[in-house]
Amino acid sequence: GAGVSQSPRYKVAKRGQDVALRCDPISGHVSLFWYQQALGQGPEFLTYFQNEAQLDKSGLPSDRFFAERPEGSVSTLKIQRTQQEDSAVYLCASRVAGGREGYTFGSGTRLTVV
Amino acid sequence: GESVGLHLPTLSVQEGDNSIINCAYSNSASDYFIWYKQESGKGPQFIIDIRSNMDKRQGQRVTVLLNKTVKHLSLQIAATQPGDSAVYFCAERGRNSSYKLIFGSGTRLLVRP
């Protein structure tokens, strides 16, 4: 596709429920990133993939957060036993290897935990 | 639509005026900086970038200025248009990282017709 596609666009989860957020990066983009954006804040880094390898997961807030990119294209961010503080917009971004222009971001998934 | 930020610093300008959005960055070792525009309900959109070996870079209607001495970055938008209304974030990348961006807290720009 022309851009980074994320689904669902909105997700409401009951506290304790597991959720899975999907990211389709731009075709051919080697690098893929997940960021978390709380209301009124700038995005914060969660994790980074180069192809299928997860090279950095230092930003994942707890072991309830898990990300994968098994075939080096589509990525899934999974959150287990969601809690209210997980409510945020989850942004996915991709770029070509060593791309100068930073990342191309998707529109995000807004997760609300009730 | 959803709001990107409800309690962000806000800059209100008249259509046609120039806008200046400021950002203080945190890491003196950062060597690459980007300005992003984020409209409500959308992801951040790249505007312009600058490397630390430069003081100024110009694009179409936008200019980024970098002052490394005081760790300050600014975005100037010429002849501001209603379509420029959005939240603007600066982001920095550390010298030791080729990929991780650290975002500032953002400024909301409102353009009055």
Side-chain angles (χ1 to χ4, degrees), chain A residues 9-10 37 56 95 100 103, chain B residues 32 38 41 51 98-99:
Chain A
R9 189 74 181 83
Y10 301 93
Q37 186 174 25
D56 187 342
R95 71 170 192 191
R100 172 181 170 83
Y103 319 153
Chain B
Y32 179 57
Q38 189 172 25
R51 294 194 179 276
S98 64
Y99 57 86

Side-chain angles (χ1 to χ4, degrees), chain B residues 10 24 39 46 49 53-54 60 70 83-85 88 95 107 113:
Chain B
T10 299
E39 296 175 282
F46 173 88
D49 61 357
N53 60 355
M54 303 174 67
Q60 189 171 16
V70 294
D84 295 328
S85 293
Y88 290 80
R95 200 179 302 274
T107 298

Side-chain angles (χ1 to χ4, degrees), chain A residues 13-92:
Chain A
K14 291 184 178 179
R15 192 158 55 98
Q17 186 179 353
D18 297 349
V19 298
L21 313 180
R22 178 186 169 103
C23 173
D24 284 84
I26 293 173
S27 178
H29 277 195
V30 169
S31 301
L32 184 145
F33 311 83
W34 284 97
Y35 279 73
Q36 180 190 58
Q37 186 174 25
L39 190 63
Q41 304 292 321
E44 292 191 354
F45 173 83
L46 292 177
T47 188
Y48 161 55
F49 288 87
Q50 185 168 308
N51 295 307
E52 69 279 1
Q54 188 175 21
L55 300 185
D56 187 342
K57 55 181 181 179
S58 63
L60 296 177
S62 77
D63 59 7
R64 296 186 296 103
F65 287 70
F66 173 76
E68 60 183 5
R69 194 185 185 198
E71 298 179 357
S73 55
V74 171
S75 177
T76 304
L77 176 67
K78 298 179 179 178
I79 309 173
Q80 297 177 323
R81 304 181 303 281
T82 52
Q83 300 176 5
Q84 283 192 319
E85 59 262 32
D86 300 335
S87 296
V89 175
Y90 291 86
L91 294 164
C92 177

